Amino acid sequence: MLLKSIFATALAIACLHAETGYDAWLRYRPIEGAALVRVRATLPAVVVTLNDADAEVSARIELIRGLRGLVGRTLRAEERIPRESAIVLGTLDEVGRAAPQWRLHAQLGENGYWLKTVVERGARYTVVTASNPRGVLYGAFALLRKIALGVPVDALDERAAPYAPIRWVNQWDNLDGSIERGYGGRSIFWEDGHTRTDLTRVADYGRLLASIGINGCSINNVNANPRLLAPEMIPEIARIAAALRPWGVRVVLSVDFATPKTIGGLDTYDPLDASVAAWWKQKADELYRAIPDFAGFVLKADSEGRAGPSTYHRTHADAANVVARALAPHSGLLLYRGFVYNHHMDWRNLKNDRARAAYANFKELDGQFDDNVIIQIKNGPIDFQVREPASPLFGALEKTNQAVELQITQEYMGQARHTVFLVPMWKETLDFDMHAGPTARPAPTPVKALVAGKVFHRPAGGFVGVANVGLDDDWAGNHLSMANLYGFGRLAWDPDLSARRLAEEWTRLTFGDDPKVVETVVGLQLSSWRTYENYTGPLGLQTLTDITGDHYGVAVEASERNGWGQWHNADEKGAGMDRTVATGTGFIGQYHSAVARMYESPATCPDDLLLFLHHVPYTYKLHSGKTVIQYIYDSHYEGADAVAGYVDAWKPLKERVDDRRYGEVLAQLEYQAGQAQVWRDAVTLWFLRASGIPDARGRVGRYPGRFEAESMALEGYAVRDVVPWEAASGGKAVVCAAAECAATLRFDGAPGWYTLRVQYFDLPTGVSRFRVLVASQVVDEWAVADHLPARKIDGSSSVRRVIPGIALRPGDEIRIEGVPDGGDPAALDYVEIHPDTR
Ligand code: GCV
């Protein structure tokens, strides 16, 4: 009963949030036309649950809810198979007992399901069966997905099983309620050091995760607060586990390796010390007493200042095993992160290379890890950059379990302020053949097969996605970014699904079946990674962002001359990291020979990774025949043009998408279009200045119609240098130090209709205001109140206001008035005046 009322509340809340994005891909809006007629013709009136296991009850509730929405009919819930048609939910054992005459026997694999239509005495039974209750739940979601997508379900015989046992998300939530690299609001789990009182959002998150096959969720930052393992926190964690349990999502905790000392009262955390082993064991026992289905730990050790085994000159295997042995009696897993590197490297030594670190740290330990340890390896050797090769570590571990770590939250990928559909990128890694198999029996060994343990017959492994959803209505901070969470889960279940299929499924489930909407959104999503790469860091340069700051705005040199090792080595002669064996850091030698051969020679190295793996002069010709420098120029213009095209493509969807989501996506894309231009100008100018080679098409450094604020007539505004210089046009901005300021220019072009674009800066510290006057008449005004990942006046805070349809006459004064507020000085970069083309 209690469970039922919890679900009823969840349902009511979900309805209140309708079309805010809260329902994500589980909207269950009515299907129409032939599909509706077909489903209604065979839809039974009854749903039978053969057991009251949590997951099976959830499956029943979800089916009733889903079919009510999709088909407008409410099924009766029963516990025995009736003589009339019914949907029957139960494990193979349960179905076998209840209806032995159906002879449903199969090896489905753990969590696999079977959707099977059985006709008996004129009744049609849609059987959703599985080896365990969680599989039944996955089957129910699969059935609903089919109905929502218009797939006939009257003659089913479909078996499906997950590709790998580990399909987890990590949340980097802090106990104070903030989320490291989270862009969708504050934590759904924590506030002020404790579990939230209201865990409705957690249960709803569990439901979303279950619908795509996710079976584990770590609920705190890998930069873990040791206090989480204090005895008083365990009941709080148990509450979260209880909210996720109905959805078959098991709780995982990130732990800090020094915890035995920091909160455990020991004077050491040496992994080879018996008291430390005993401490981890009693802690695991205590957790399992409170949470019997607890899944395990994630451990970030000796990385970015976190405690680790190096304190005691022990190995990562020592560290992993001491924790894993505490979990083993309970069948718990330890996901030990392979993200270990030295962030104080000497950049002057050209042989130093952060990309080598994961392999260097773990390869030699292969075979020393216990069977319940899984090395969790980021997709690339650096850190979720816009383009990286697959980490060589995937091909190096033969006697150790591994999992790939993908980042769903868009840390280096536009932080949900830019739309970037990551599935195509992930698929490139997952499908990449590491050539890791025995040379005597050559067969493809793609990353997906390696991490699933299929190549070296490992007992555990799989997929981990850093999700970082938050309390925002739309979970991620951008409606279109939710396609990444959907895509991650579906790929973890079946990595052979194509990016197009996933984009289409997600779009139809999220926005409906209108062909124009589907075509537009799918086209946008599928091109968005290449587009983002084009304007933020092509050819393997990596995301050219502020890597020591917010990881968001443009800052071409931020990666250089520091110990973090995200170097691209661009200077006046050329760009790229020489990672060859012959003359460089030797990183390429970490791959198996077939891969290494391809990467070692620029002639066979893919252009997309050229500068990640080679240092070449700007005049070096790519396979296309284009020089590197011209490619950098062209790709940035193509990228910025593509985003402008997204805005144009979205606008005609106005009557086809609900108002709120239409408006929010439009605002996001318009903002992204402005940012793409900021990136374009910054990166191309930086490379023009570095290389001294002009753009063959004459665009870089020439901006027709642009008027720098610093060259306008200023009242109260003061000119200020911007750092880095490329982040503002002309390297300068004007800031208002008075109560009110103005910048004025006199228009001397031809009379006609124009669009004004005002490029200004939005700092989070206050809400400044702008007013634009043309010939003394106010034509626009706005408050500067966006929530940007910005801290100072640079590319991260640069925003564009587009004011179309302005009539200008020669001699007109264009005056921009700024009113600062708080620490936001109503700063301006430039104004562009473009003839209206429509
Ligand atoms: C949670 C990058 C991110 C950090 C993150 C780290 C990691 O360095 O910027 O925020 O820390 O990766 O994956 O551990």
Side-chain angles (χ1 to χ4, degrees):
M1 269 324 275
L2 175 65
L3 196 61
K4 280 185 190 152
S5 65
I6 289 172
F7 277 106
T9 314
L11 178 62
I13 288 173
C15 289
L16 281 181
H17 285 278
E19 301 307 314
T20 58
Y22 190 78
D23 290 336
W25 52 86
L26 296 178
R27 291 163 65 244
Y28 300 136
R29 290 296 179 274
I31 54 172
E32 289 166 357
L36 177 63
V37 173
R38 203 168 48 222
V39 176
R40 280 195 168 171
T42 54
L43 186 75
V46 175
V47 56
V48 177
T49 331
L50 296 174
N51 191 351
D52 62 1
D54 281 338
E56 287 181 45
V57 173
S58 298
R60 181 185 69 211
I61 292 170
E62 191 68 22
L63 271 170
I64 293 174
R65 171 182 181 164
L67 290 170
R68 187 190 295 132
L70 289 165
V71 192
R73 298 213 160 141
T74 302
L75 303 194
R76 303 163 69 102
E78 295 187 3
E79 281 160 17
R80 283 186 219 294
I81 299 174
R83 284 178 165 268
E84 64 178 282
S85 297
I87 297 177
V88 178
L89 304 172
T91 62
L92 279 170
D93 285 349
E94 290 154 7
V95 174
R97 277 195 299 274
Q101 72 282 11
W102 291 351
R103 295 177 200 285
L104 295 185
H105 309 291
Q107 294 297 324
L108 296 177
E110 199 179 337
N111 293 330
Y113 61 80
W114 185 6
L115 305 181
K116 173 83 178 149
T117 305
V118 177
V119 178
E120 187 184 40
R121 291 193 305 265
R124 183 191 305 267
Y125 299 98
T126 304
V127 185
V128 180
T129 188
S131 51
N132 59 9
R134 192 187 278 125
V136 174
L137 178 61
Y138 295 151
F141 276 115
L143 179 62
L144 283 166
R145 187 163 53 234
K146 281 181 191 302
I147 296 171
L149 292 173
V151 178
V153 294
D154 43 6
L156 288 168
D157 189 3
E158 179 182 305
R159 299 178 196 197
Y163 189 81
I166 294 175
R167 302 178 308 282
W168 289 7
V169 288
N170 285 177
Q171 289 275 146
W172 289 351
D173 298 31
N174 298 311
L175 300 194
D176 65 3
S178 62
I179 305 180
E180 182 160 345
R181 317 299 176 193
Y183 312 110
R186 290 181 68 76
S187 173
I188 63 171
F189 301 103
W190 311 103
E191 188 60 43
D192 294 336
H194 294 281
T195 299
R196 284 186 175 281
T197 316
D198 179 1
L199 293 181
T200 310
R201 284 293 293 251
V202 174
D204 288 348
Y205 187 35
R207 173 173 167 259
L208 280 182
L209 295 178
S211 74
I212 47 175
I214 301 294
N215 59 358
C217 174
S218 75
I219 57 174
N220 65 306
N221 195 347
V222 287
N223 293 326
N225 185 336
R227 195 173 74 79
L228 195 75
L229 290 186
E232 65 274 15
M233 292 306 287
I234 291 185
E236 301 200 22
I237 299 164
R239 285 187 55 231
I240 295 176
L244 292 173
R245 186 169 297 118
W247 301 104
V249 178
R250 296 165 70 193
V251 157
V252 180
L253 291 182
S254 298
V255 290
D256 179 78
F257 194 60
T259 315
K261 186 171 173 187
T262 43
I263 68 146
L266 304 185
D267 59 3
T268 177
Y269 56 94
D270 180 351
L272 298 191
D273 188 296
S275 66
V276 171
W279 188 88
W280 282 110
K281 183 170 174 348
Q282 66 77 23
K283 189 51 69 179
D285 292 348
E286 189 184 352
L287 273 165
Y288 276 93
R289 274 195 299 278
I291 309 168
D293 59 350
F294 183 70
F297 292 141
V298 186
L299 177 51
K300 173 178 178 179
D302 275 334
S303 167
E304 300 185 330
R306 307 300 304 177
S310 65
T311 311
Y312 302 97
H313 308 290
R314 308 299 187 202
T315 69
H316 292 293
D318 296 330
N321 292 341
V322 71
V323 182
R325 283 171 198 164
L327 296 165
H330 310 281
S331 306
L333 300 177
L334 174 69
L335 280 275
Y336 194 94
R337 293 182 88 230
F339 185 62
V340 177
Y341 69 102
N342 169 9
H343 64 281
H344 298 292
M345 252 183 321
D346 182 358
W347 67 92
R348 285 159 294 230
N349 180 347
L350 294 181
K351 296 290 177 190
N352 280 344
D353 187 0
R354 170 172 166 183
R356 295 173 56 100
Y359 180 104
N361 279 300
F362 288 90
K363 165 67 182 161
E364 63 180 19
L365 298 174
D366 190 21
Q368 295 182 35
F369 293 94
D370 283 9
D371 267 359
N372 65 330
V373 176
I374 294 101
I375 308 300
Q376 180 170 317
I377 306 166
K378 290 193 181 187
N379 60 291
I382 299 287
D383 190 6
F384 302 136
Q385 300 299 295
V386 69
R387 172 127 10 209
E388 296 185 46
S391 170
L393 188 56
F394 293 122
L397 300 177
E398 300 186 5
K399 292 172 257 160
T400 306
N401 304 319
Q402 43 174 307
V404 61
E405 179 179 313
L406 303 170
Q407 202 184 41
I408 301 163
T409 194
Q410 295 170 234
E411 176 181 354
Y412 285 95
M413 308 293 277
Q415 305 195 356
R417 301 303 311 231
H418 297 232
T419 287
V420 187
F421 181 52
L422 297 167
V423 167
M425 179 177 103
W426 296 336
K427 280 193 70 74
E428 280 209 13
T429 301
L430 296 176
D431 291 343
F432 185 78
D433 187 355
M434 300 297 293
H435 291 269
T439 35
R441 276 185 294 113
T445 55
V447 169
K448 59 190 171 193
L450 286 159
V451 300
K454 293 184 192 297
V455 176
F456 296 111
H457 311 291
R458 299 301 312 163
F463 303 80
V464 178
V466 181
N468 291 0
V469 301
L471 280 176
D472 281 3
D473 280 349
D474 63 9
W475 301 91
N478 171 10
H479 296 290
L480 300 184
S481 291
M482 283 296 275
N484 291 323
L485 180 57
Y486 183 82
F488 169 77
R490 299 281 288 131
L491 277 186
W493 180 279
D494 179 2
D496 293 331
L497 292 169
S498 73
R500 173 167 291 277
R501 167 155 173 197
L502 292 177
E504 275 174 11
E505 272 186 10
W506 175 81
T507 304
R508 292 179 60 201
L509 297 171
T510 303
F511 287 109
D513 277 335
D514 182 327
K516 189 160 174 68
V517 174
V518 176
E519 187 197 327
T520 305
V521 176
V522 169
L524 192 161
Q525 293 277 28
L526 287 178
S527 60
S528 60
W529 170 42
R530 172 65 79 181
T531 293
Y532 185 77
E533 177 186 39
N534 275 345
Y535 64 79
T536 61
L539 298 177
L541 278 167
Q542 309 172 61
T543 319
L544 296 171
T545 188
D546 178 6
I547 76 120
T548 54
D550 53 31
H551 298 187
Y552 180 70
V554 59
V556 180
E557 285 172 88
S559 52
E560 306 307 287
R561 296 176 291 283
N562 60 49
W564 290 93
Q566 291 184 215
W567 310 317
H568 53 58
N569 275 349
D571 59 20
E572 67 281 4
K573 295 201 187 64
M577 280 288 290
D578 181 357
R579 293 190 156 110
T580 61
V581 176
T583 56
T585 69
F587 163 77
I588 290 174
Q590 295 182 338
Y591 290 95
H592 290 275
S593 56
V595 179
R597 266 198 310 277
M598 172 182 64
Y599 283 161
E600 180 78 7
S601 162
T604 49
C605 178
D607 285 348
D608 286 335
L609 286 171
L610 183 71
L611 304 183
F612 193 93
L613 298 169
H614 294 271
H615 185 82
V616 298
Y618 291 116
T619 49
Y620 180 86
K621 287 218 169 94
L622 301 168
H623 294 116
S624 64
K626 199 178 265 191
T627 60
V628 163
I629 191 71
Q630 194 57 41
Y631 187 93
I632 292 174
Y633 296 149
D634 289 350
S635 61
H636 281 79
Y637 278 84
E638 278 163 29
D641 288 350
V643 190
Y646 295 162
V647 175
D648 293 340
W650 181 259
K651 280 183 175 162
L653 305 188
K654 186 161 175 39
E655 303 303 324
R656 299 167 186 261
V657 173
D658 53 281
D659 286 351
R660 176 162 171 182
R661 291 189 302 166
Y662 170 81
E664 288 175 353
V665 171
L666 179 61
Q668 179 270 309
L669 291 174
E670 281 177 333
Y671 166 80
Q672 184 179 354
Q675 268 285 301
Q677 184 173 315
V678 172
W679 275 86
R680 178 199 78 185
D681 293 353
V683 177
T684 52
L685 261 180
W686 191 95
F687 279 95
L688 174 65
R689 194 184 273 191
S691 70
I693 302 173
D695 168 24
R697 295 176 60 189
R699 298 156 298 185
V700 181
R702 294 182 51 228
Y703 307 106
R706 182 176 297 186
F707 298 85
E708 297 294 344
E710 56 273 20
S711 59
M712 292 163 69
L714 302 178
E715 294 162 48
Y717 268 122
V719 179
R720 186 196 283 176
D721 287 337
V722 170
V723 180
W725 63 266
E726 71 272 19
S729 190
K732 295 184 192 318
V734 299
V735 294
C736 180
E740 196 176 326
C741 300
T744 308
L745 70 95
R746 187 170 295 278
F747 176 73
D748 59 5
W753 293 102
Y754 288 86
T755 293
L756 305 184
R757 292 183 185 166
V758 180
Q759 196 78 29
Y760 63 98
F761 298 91
D762 180 351
L763 294 186
T765 42
V767 179
S768 59
R769 299 191 58 81
F770 283 108
R771 212 155 78 118
V772 178
L773 298 91
V774 172
S776 304
Q777 181 186 338
V778 176
V779 295
D780 199 9
E781 56 188 318
W782 66 96
V784 178
D786 208 341
H787 297 287
L788 301 174
R791 294 181 204 164
K792 59 186 179 60
I793 294 176
D794 62 11
S796 65
S797 53
S798 187
V799 187
R800 175 170 91 177
R801 178 84 173 183
V802 179
I803 313 168
I806 301 296
L808 293 178
R809 306 273 179 274
D812 276 350
E813 236 183 35
I814 301 174
R815 178 181 169 87
I816 299 157
E817 295 175 350
V819 180
D821 178 64
D824 185 341
L828 274 175
D829 192 356
Y830 60 84
V831 179
E832 281 182 356
I833 305 175
H834 296 286
D836 266 354
T837 46
R838 282 166 264 199

